[in-house]
Amino acid sequence: MGFTLEGPVLEGAFVRLEPLGHHHAAGLAEAAEEKRDSYGFTLVPEREAVDAYVEARLADAADGLLAPYAQVNVATGRVMGHTSFLAPRPWPSGEGLCAVEIGYTWLAASAQGTGVNTEAKYLLFRHAFESWDVARVDLKTDSRNARSRAAITNVGATFEGVLRNWSVSWAPGEGDRLRDTAYFSITAEEWPERRAALEERLRGIRERRAARSGTGGA
């Protein structure tokens, strides 16, 4: 039996990754309309394009190409952005998954730098390595996107190089151009060390949040 790319609900302390549905569209529209100056190289829909964006992600999911998620604030239930598993690569036998990519990731400006991306990546990595037993997880971004490259590096992925003229650019006004794409990965052999580092980083984030809120705990 072949592998079917379907992602379950994944929940942490800050973020709950919910399989994307039409009911997330209004929240995604609000999240996308916050300050947009960090989206120069990222596909983030304008408010009026959110319904089409959701339809496109769900169509890809129906074709087995994508497992899209809404990123939801655990405390408030507010939608903060989107991410997904994509590009599943089965083993040559057709049994099980060899590799998968994490991408189509964006967060509302108010959620950036809060630990949400770190926890979401941790949840996705853990599921890919420990439930699907993949050999590697891929991540990629426009080679010019310094913010995204730093965020990918900060969650423990290894830079593998730049593929020139690799895919269509998402930068405004560049729809007819190809971008250079920076590739990163984590392998199964690296995952135990990366997991420990991410868990330590998340403990620190929880402690800082608790100190700011005055709760004295996570």
Side-chain angles (χ1 to χ4, degrees), residues 157-207:
T158 298
F159 174 60
E160 295 186 327
V162 173
L163 300 182
R164 298 175 297 166
N165 287 351
W166 181 248
S167 60
V168 174
S169 174
W170 289 339
E174 293 186 0
D176 59 345
R177 290 181 53 186
L178 295 176
R179 74 179 194 184
D180 294 347
T181 297
Y183 255 87
F184 299 77
S185 72
I186 296 178
T187 67
E189 293 79 10
E190 295 169 335
W191 172 237
E193 180 181 351
R194 301 298 194 271
R195 173 174 177 158
L198 283 168
E199 289 175 346
E200 180 61 29
R201 185 175 173 189
L202 288 168
R203 275 193 291 272
I205 293 170
R206 288 194 296 270
E207 289 170 0

Side-chain angles (χ1 to χ4, degrees), residues 99-119:
V100 71
E101 182 179 332
I102 294 171
Y104 285 113
T105 300
W106 59 271
L107 281 170
S110 60
Q112 295 174 22
T114 64
V116 167
N117 181 64
T118 299
E119 186 172 64

Side-chain angles (χ1 to χ4, degrees), residues 69-130:
Y69 283 104
Q71 302 198 64
V72 177
N73 186 304
V74 169
T76 66
R78 177 175 176 265
V79 176
M80 299 181 288
H82 176 271
T83 192
S84 66
F85 288 117
L86 67 150
R89 302 205 301 277
W91 289 103
S93 66
E95 295 295 328
L97 199 62
C98 170
V100 71
E101 182 179 332
I102 294 171
Y104 285 113
T105 300
W106 59 271
L107 281 170
S110 60
Q112 295 174 22
T114 64
V116 167
N117 181 64
T118 299
E119 186 172 64
K121 289 298 192 298
Y122 168 77
L123 295 170
L124 293 165
F125 290 151
R126 188 177 66 183
H127 186 75
F129 285 116
E130 299 179 17

Side-chain angles (χ1 to χ4, degrees), residues 130-145:
E130 299 179 17
S131 295
W132 289 340
D133 295 322
V134 300
R136 63 176 275 146
V137 172
D138 303 327
L139 304 98
K140 66 179 187 286
T141 189
D142 191 307
S143 65
R144 299 166 295 179
N145 193 341

Side-chain angles (χ1 to χ4, degrees), residues 3-28:
F3 178 85
T4 300
L5 186 66
E6 293 179 346
V9 173
L10 302 172
E11 184 165 338
F14 321 134
V15 62
R16 182 171 59 255
L17 302 180
E18 299 179 359
L20 183 68
H22 292 289
H23 61 288
H24 293 115
L28 285 173

